[in-house]
Amino acid sequence: MSTDLEETASTTSWCCASCGICQVDDINLKKCAACKSIRYCSVTCQREHRPQHKADCKKRVAELRDEILFRQPESSHLGDCPICLLPLSLDVQKSPMQSCCSKVICNGCMVASILHKGGKNYECPFCRHEYSKDDKTETDVNVMKRIEVNDPVAIRESAIRHGKSGGLGTAMEYFKKAAALGDAEAHYQLGMSYTIGRGVERDAKKEKYHMEEAAIGGHPAARDAVGIMEMRMGNQDRAMKHFTIAATLGHDGAMDSLRMGHALGGVRKEDVDIALGAYQAAVDATKSPQRDLAEKYLAEFAALG
């Protein structure tokens, strides 16, 4: 996106924006930490130029944020199954996490591994760790080992367990730690917490920040939530962009929002059709004969009692 600030920066990128001195061997210019578009020779020059630069800086920071925010993720935050390399379903019930290595493996590969072993001596299909009969105790031990090495998935899962057992303070600490390590689901959980006041005070600004960070990380539900926020603020165009990105990752609710947007005249029919094609492709990519067989096997196993 071309701006006056960018044009100025291109011609004076090696000169101080305040005093005009150029960078030479004994003068090292530093970029504005926020917009990174102009340079200064000293803190004094930066402070003196701040009133003149403030509006352009704020505008450029917002543009840079949007460039990141509206970038289409290559996949959802769940990624691919490390065994069959197919995209994981957004239905987390179809892809359990392994406490031994924190890998999320699809039911298709899980069931295939169990059947290969004849249903006995269950082991992790990824790292081949063999579980004992006391699964709960061993799971707790494994999760703590992963937490000790700063595994964000293990930290986040531990946060969820603490939250379910009533330890909201500890849960928030773990969510924040996992989010700091880049875990999109942790950002989403924090966003939800600030939305409803779960373990923290309700905070719309923090809610929006964590939902956006989760969306950037490929979290479709978070992307859909950000779209809803934009709709409430009257930013329909921005909302539809978010819904489109979420729909192309296979999110049902976002696809419904696009259809509603079309019904209200805010989205073109051809754009809905394109999004629908991408949505269906994303959903189909998570399917396979092995996964279908696994769902049938698990349904029959559950029916046994």
Side-chain angles (χ1 to χ4, degrees):
M1 185 182 294
S2 178
T3 65
D4 292 338
L5 182 59
E6 286 177 320
E7 292 175 4
T8 301
S10 66
T11 58
T12 62
S13 60
W14 298 104
C15 296
C16 176
S18 181
C19 68
I21 191 171
C22 293
Q23 179 163 302
V24 290
D25 291 342
D26 58 341
I27 298 176
N28 184 31
L29 303 182
K30 294 185 178 180
K31 289 183 178 180
C32 170
C35 70
K36 303 188 182 343
S37 297
I38 59 177
R39 300 171 187 264
Y40 296 104
C41 65
S42 66
V43 174
T44 300
C45 275
Q46 185 172 10
R47 288 174 179 169
E48 291 178 352
H49 192 250
R50 180 61 181 166
Q52 180 181 342
H53 176 56
K54 186 175 181 179
D56 284 339
C57 183
K58 187 176 181 179
K59 180 181 179 182
R60 183 55 182 156
V61 168
E63 291 172 351
L64 291 172
R65 177 66 173 176
D66 277 357
E67 287 178 12
I68 298 172
L69 182 59
F70 288 108
R71 190 177 298 154
Q72 178 70 48
E74 293 183 3
S75 66
S76 80
H77 65 299
L78 297 173
D80 300 337
C81 171
I83 306 296
C84 64
L85 303 181
L86 293 177
L88 292 168
S89 170
L90 298 185
D91 182 355
V92 295
Q93 298 300 317
K94 295 182 178 181
S95 306
M97 186 203 82
Q98 305 304 294
S99 65
C100 48
C101 56
S102 294
K103 295 298 182 182
V104 179
I105 300 173
C106 74
N107 281 343
C109 292
M110 291 291 298
V111 171
S113 177
I114 293 172
L115 294 178
H116 179 70
K117 291 289 184 178
K120 299 178 181 179
N121 299 324
Y122 170 68
E123 67 179 17
C124 172
F126 184 80
C127 69
R128 300 304 182 188
H129 173 81
E130 189 169 311
Y131 285 91
S132 64
K133 293 182 180 180
D134 191 358
D135 184 62
K136 169 111 179 25
T137 300
E138 185 171 3
T139 295
D140 292 341
V141 172
N142 288 338
V143 169
M144 286 308 302
K145 286 180 179 179
R146 300 305 304 170
I147 290 175
E148 289 171 1
V149 295
N150 281 335
D151 186 318
V153 176
I155 294 170
R156 176 241 300 161
E157 289 301 309
S158 183
I160 293 174
R161 289 202 294 167
H162 278 291
K164 289 180 178 179
S165 64
L168 293 179
T170 303
M172 291 304 105
E173 290 180 13
Y174 276 128
F175 277 137
K176 290 176 181 178
K177 185 175 181 180
L181 292 170
D183 187 75
E185 179 64 29
H187 275 296
Y188 175 70
Q189 292 294 336
L190 283 172
M192 290 297 297
S193 296
Y194 284 114
T195 301
I196 63 177
R198 180 184 61 194
V200 291
E201 293 291 329
R202 295 180 66 178
D203 189 317
K205 186 175 181 180
K206 290 181 179 179
E207 171 197 1
K208 187 171 185 289
Y209 167 75
H210 284 292
M211 285 300 187
E212 286 186 349
E213 287 298 304
I216 291 169
H219 200 297
R223 177 74 65 176
D224 184 60
V226 175
I228 293 172
M229 291 179 200
E230 295 288 1
M231 283 292 289
R232 290 173 178 169
M233 292 187 289
N235 302 325
Q236 182 171 320
D237 288 345
R238 292 175 65 86
M240 292 305 139
K241 287 181 181 179
H242 284 300
F243 292 143
T244 298
I245 294 173
T248 58
L249 293 173
H251 192 271
D252 296 338
M255 195 64 240
D256 291 339
S257 295
L258 285 175
R259 293 190 183 99
M260 186 180 296
H262 170 64
L264 296 174
V267 183
R268 299 182 305 168
K269 178 65 165 58
E270 49 266 42
D271 291 335
V272 175
D273 290 341
I274 291 173
L276 179 59
Y279 161 81
Q280 195 59 58
V283 173
D284 290 344
T286 66
K287 298 178 180 179
S288 73
Q290 179 171 274
R291 291 182 179 181
D292 291 341
L293 181 62
E295 293 308 311
K296 182 179 179 181
Y297 172 86
L298 292 172
E300 292 175 351
F301 183 78
L304 294 176

